[in-house]
Amino acid sequence: MNDAPIGIFDSGVGGLTVARAVSQLLPRESVRYIGDTARSPYGPKPIADVRRYSLEVLDTLVDEGVKMLVIACNTASAAVLRDARERYDVPVVEVIGPAVRTAVSATRSGRIGVIGTAGTIGSGVYQDMLGVDARLTVFAQACPRFVEFVEAGVTGSSEVLAVAEDYLAPLRHAAVDTLVLGCTHYPFLEGAISYVMGEGVTLVSSDTETAKDVYRQLVSRDLLAGPDAAPRHVYEATGASADEFLDLAHRLMGRGVDSVRLVQTGAIDLPKGIA
């Protein structure tokens, strides 16, 4: 069981940031990643559909024998976290809690901004978790086009900057000093977001903090891979084109891919370096 892979799930490529952080912190661990690219983006979809899609993918990972589930998608985390923890016998880690804890520690003024998909912001999950602390004032803003840009591999154009200025204007006006990137796709746009918000605003991304949660869970449950483990990284996507997924992963992650295998379930084997 200890040598079984960690299952990581996202609606598309954004969760690759989480997979990379997990692999950097836990280099002996095997990873099995599924990006539901056929149904991405999740953000604009009804919550009932997101829940159904998410549980289908998580069921697949559990059936494949993972020892832990990581929901590397904010929209999916908001939709199914409670269900997932009741449904599966393996531990479940999500990306919202780690980002909230980091934001609370980082803020100086108590004015925290949150950006995310329409689904994540509409769920109120960040607002509710941050609102528990009466010292904090939370400002939330949906940024639906950000995922579209990332999934198209466009991260640094003048159009991205213009859209970022439009989305983030209310948060600048609110004088937030901390901004939670409430979608795992958004770190790919960190340059534009940081430029618009200014140097005085701390950006909080959940990838490294989620990886720390994964580590804590594995240690506490005695599930760490052994010292002689030979890690294997398998990446899967539900879309129709392996080449499109691999090209996008290459452009976003800065890694080359030499070979690919696409099967009916969307299985894609990538070299270990992509993680």
Side-chain angles (χ1 to χ4, degrees):
M1 178 64 175
N2 283 30
D3 291 339
I6 298 167
I8 302 178
F9 155 59
D10 183 56
S11 62
V13 299
L16 289 174
T17 59
V18 176
R20 177 174 58 186
V22 168
S23 295
Q24 288 173 343
L25 189 63
L26 295 158
R28 292 194 184 96
E29 299 293 339
S30 293
V31 168
R32 196 169 196 96
Y33 179 96
I34 295 181
D36 193 11
T37 49
R39 298 180 288 202
S40 181
Y42 277 9
K45 292 181 169 58
I47 198 73
D49 288 346
V50 172
R51 181 180 180 277
R52 179 164 56 86
Y53 300 157
S54 301
L55 292 177
E56 285 177 5
V57 177
L58 294 172
D59 284 351
T60 298
L61 285 168
V62 170
D63 289 345
E64 291 175 345
V66 300
K67 65 181 178 181
M68 168 183 282
L69 291 169
V70 180
I71 307 176
C73 174
N74 286 262
T75 305
S77 293
V80 302
L81 178 59
R82 183 175 299 177
D83 292 331
R85 286 181 169 159
E86 293 176 353
R87 185 182 183 96
Y88 306 115
D89 293 330
V90 298
V92 180
V93 172
E94 45 79 36
V95 291
I96 296 174
V100 166
R101 291 193 295 272
T102 304
V104 172
S105 298
T107 186
R108 305 174 302 280
S109 68
R111 300 176 71 82
I112 297 177
V114 179
I115 56 175
T117 67
T120 297
I121 298 302
S123 75
V125 62
Y126 276 102
Q127 299 94 309
D128 291 345
M129 293 183 71
L130 289 165
V132 171
D133 190 332
R135 300 169 300 171
L136 304 178
T137 305
V138 183
F139 304 87
Q141 174 69 39
C143 304
R145 293 194 63 194
F146 279 178
V147 171
E148 296 175 14
F149 283 128
V150 173
E151 291 287 337
V154 179
T155 59
S157 70
S158 58
E159 185 181 10
V160 169
L161 191 58
V163 171
E165 288 175 341
D166 181 52
Y167 281 153
L168 301 175
L171 301 177
R172 291 184 62 192
H173 181 72
V176 303
D177 75 344
T178 303
L179 180 63
V180 177
L181 308 185
C183 176
T184 51
H185 286 68
Y186 291 3
F188 293 116
L189 302 177
E190 189 169 338
I193 294 170
S194 179
Y195 177 80
V196 172
M197 294 304 297
E199 294 181 359
V201 177
T202 300
L203 302 187
V204 174
S205 162
S206 58
D207 50 0
T208 55
E209 297 305 316
T210 299
K212 292 176 185 176
D213 263 15
V214 169
Y215 179 87
R216 283 190 285 266
Q217 288 276 356
L218 292 179
V219 170
S220 66
R221 296 169 183 265
D222 195 25
L223 288 174
L224 282 173
D228 299 324
R232 183 167 181 257
H233 295 193
V234 176
Y235 291 75
E236 301 178 332
T238 60
S241 173
D243 289 341
E244 288 181 8
F245 180 89
L246 295 177
D247 177 65
L248 183 56
H250 174 229
R251 282 186 283 158
L252 294 174
M253 306 296 286
R255 297 287 192 275
V257 176
D258 297 326
S259 62
V260 59
R261 178 174 60 88
L262 183 65
V263 297
Q264 186 174 4
T265 58
I268 299 176
D269 289 333
L270 303 185
K272 179 181 175 182
I274 192 68

